[in-house]
Amino acid sequence: MSAESGISTFRDSDGLWENYRVEDVATHEAWLRNPSLVNRFYNDRRRQYSGVEPNEGHRLIASLEKRYRVTVVTQNVDDLHERAGSTHVIHLHGELMKACSSRDVDDERYHVLLTAEHPTIEEGQLAGDGSLLRPFIVFFGEAVPNLGIAAEACQQADMLVIIGTSLVVYPAAQLRHYAPQGIPVYIIDPKDVPVEHAPNIRHLKTGASQGMRQLTELL
């Protein structure tokens, strides 16, 4: 979804994991072993996002709220949906522009909002409960706390739009199966995706912005 804004994807051939080992920067074990390295990795991500803006696809999704009740469920950790104007966003994998307690990640009392002017977690910086401040990111191997909320949203959907995901990352990939059977499903992705062929499923084989233009015209 955010690739057209200039944010590297994680799984493509030129993605972030080509330059880093997941085991070193994105697991709970990595945090325990070397919290400084993990924080530096995500500090670098925030600095790279400086000046990045929502693309047309983000804005078109937000504009649908003028006519529909829209819930965005995202695996992305950036805040581009919110900045484009979407008001109901469920982040499955955390939020890059937040830091949290390493003792209790979900305790909102100790969440810290990071900004473009101050995007870094400093060496040894502590949360309000005295633990080390860590990225508010769901590391590989950790539970996805918002998964149940996202599943409930899918269960209530009248239409499902799936944009720019490989549909191979679980548990997020299973969410579409919570949607009511037979509702319209639009998949926007320039690549082939592993999805069954059915009359209610339509694949718009293009990028996010062009796909959202086509979808907006269809609606």
Side-chain angles (χ1 to χ4, degrees):
M1 186 71 231
S2 299
E4 294 175 34
S5 294
I7 293 178
S8 297
T9 59
F10 280 83
R11 292 183 174 271
D12 284 343
S13 59
D14 59 347
L16 290 174
W17 300 137
E18 289 298 298
N19 301 314
Y20 297 89
R21 294 176 70 248
V22 172
E23 298 84 358
D24 292 336
V25 295
T27 66
H28 184 66
E29 292 76 17
W31 169 259
L32 294 176
R33 184 170 59 249
N34 193 342
S36 296
L37 175 62
V38 174
N39 274 336
R40 284 201 303 272
F41 173 79
Y42 287 101
N43 285 344
D44 287 345
R45 302 288 74 70
R46 293 186 209 97
R47 282 191 286 264
Q48 287 177 354
Y49 289 1
S50 177
V52 170
E53 297 294 334
N55 59 55
E56 184 184 6
H58 291 109
R59 294 191 294 271
L60 287 172
I61 290 172
S63 72
L64 291 179
E65 293 192 14
K66 297 175 183 176
R67 293 179 287 160
Y68 304 101
R69 182 166 54 96
V70 180
T71 298
V72 177
V73 178
T74 181
Q75 295 171 266
N76 291 348
V77 296
D78 60 61
D79 61 354
L80 296 182
H81 280 295
E82 289 90 342
R83 287 167 54 196
S86 290
T87 60
H88 189 199
V89 183
I90 300 171
H91 285 271
L92 291 180
H93 294 162
E95 299 177 60
L96 184 67
M97 297 308 295
K98 287 183 179 179
C100 62
S101 158
S102 54
R103 182 176 298 138
D104 188 347
V105 173
D106 297 316
D107 192 331
E108 295 183 0
R109 294 177 299 172
Y110 307 121
H111 286 184
V112 176
L113 183 63
L114 302 167
T115 65
E117 293 75 24
H118 299 94
T120 60
I121 298 173
E122 302 300 334
E123 182 77 24
Q125 187 174 353
L126 301 181
D129 63 355
S131 69
L132 278 176
L133 207 59
R134 61 159 269 185
F136 186 58
I137 297 293
V138 178
F139 292 144
F140 284 91
E142 292 183 329
V144 180
N146 284 337
L147 188 65
I149 299 171
E152 289 179 9
C154 290
Q155 287 173 336
Q156 299 170 14
D158 299 307
M159 182 176 72
L160 198 62
V161 183
I162 302 170
I163 304 174
T165 178
S166 60
L167 287 178
V168 298
V169 179
Y170 282 82
Q174 72 191 30
L175 284 173
R176 65 187 183 92
H177 299 297
Y178 285 91
Q181 189 172 5
I183 67 167
V185 176
Y186 292 90
I187 298 174
I188 298 173
D189 198 297
K191 300 179 181 179
D192 292 325
V193 292
V195 67
E196 65 276 7
H197 295 284
N200 64 310
I201 299 176
R202 181 170 178 180
H203 184 185
L204 305 179
K205 203 169 184 180
T206 185
S209 293
Q210 184 177 341
M212 280 304 304
R213 286 195 296 271
Q214 294 179 17
L215 179 63
T216 301
E217 293 171 0
L218 290 169
L219 297 178

